[in-house]
Amino acid sequence: MRERTAVAMAVAAFAGSLHPTTIPLWVALAGLALALLVRVPMLIPLATLVLCACLADRSWSGLEPSEPHDLSARATMVTDPERFGAGTNAVVRIDGRRYLARGFGAAGATLSRAAAGHELEVAGDVVPYNGRDERRAALHVADHLRLTSVSPVGPGNLLWRSSNAIRAAVTDGAAGLGERRRILFTGLVYGDDRGQDAGVEADFRQAGLTHLLA
């Protein structure tokens, strides 16, 4: 691929992400595959533009907030839990819809012991997400789920179990580094920055290297 084609693809991807368009994903993917197959230089950036516009539209779809209501269902953890003040946050998926779940007390403690991919039985109150639209789209969440109870069900499907087993093996292998260095190590290797020391984060931010911990 020529350098100018690669640059054109990057520009097209950026432009497409700014202009969401309702196009079936299979059409966008087929168009890109065809463009790569026939190797017409100008078709590849055009197909990239269409694909990114399609993906941008999908990132906003299904984000209409729900009316406040009670919810009790089985959920799949989409992200690892994170501390949030006195509580714990995590993105969960329920029947194809994502929620930013937040738990305090016993619910938060149980949530904090889970990991991405784990299955949980959850109950709580659903309220519209009140954060920034950009973060809402990035997380693909429509609502907050204020948890009142959380019960573990299982470790999730084979893909999640395999991923978590690898992460656990890497973490166990770094146990000899000591806690502070181990947390830094897991942040650098696979982005798990839970428990990261505020001083370390400040040092990386001052050096312009915070992206290494993300």
Side-chain angles (χ1 to χ4, degrees), residues 76-77 93 115-119 155-168:
T76 300
M77 296 277 288
R93 183 175 61 250
H118 284 188
E119 301 284 336
N157 61 34
L158 178 61
L159 180 61
W160 280 114
R161 293 199 304 271
S162 301
S163 174
N164 286 329
I166 293 172
R167 292 201 305 169

Side-chain angles (χ1 to χ4, degrees), residues 2-15:
R2 294 181 178 179
E3 182 177 341
R4 61 183 180 184
T5 302
V7 171
M9 286 180 65
V11 173
F14 177 73

Side-chain angles (χ1 to χ4, degrees), residues 83-204:
R83 295 293 299 174
F84 184 82
T88 302
N89 278 358
V91 176
V92 301
R93 183 175 61 250
I94 301 173
D95 295 331
R97 190 175 178 88
R98 291 188 179 190
Y99 302 82
L100 182 59
R102 180 172 298 165
F104 296 88
T110 303
L111 185 66
S112 69
R113 291 192 291 269
H118 284 188
E119 301 284 336
L120 307 169
E121 287 288 343
V122 300
D125 304 319
V126 174
V127 295
Y129 181 82
N130 58 7
R132 293 184 298 114
D133 283 346
E134 294 81 0
R135 177 170 170 77
R136 181 166 64 100
L139 296 175
H140 206 73
V141 298
D143 303 302
H144 275 295
L145 175 58
R146 298 186 299 204
L147 296 168
T148 55
S149 69
V150 179
S151 300
V153 174
N157 61 34
L158 178 61
L159 180 61
W160 280 114
R161 293 199 304 271
S162 301
S163 174
N164 286 329
I166 293 172
R167 292 201 305 169
V170 172
T171 302
D172 291 344
L177 296 176
E179 183 177 3
R180 184 176 182 182
R181 290 184 177 181
R182 177 183 57 78
I183 293 173
L184 176 60
F185 175 80
T186 57
L188 292 170
V189 173
Y190 57 82
D192 186 354
D193 60 356
R194 289 175 292 174
Q196 195 70 255
D197 183 82
V200 173
E201 292 183 4
D203 290 342
F204 272 74

Side-chain angles (χ1 to χ4, degrees), residues 11-30:
V11 173
F14 177 73
S17 66
L18 295 179
H19 299 283
T21 305
T22 304
I23 299 172
L25 181 59
W26 71 268
V27 173
L29 289 172

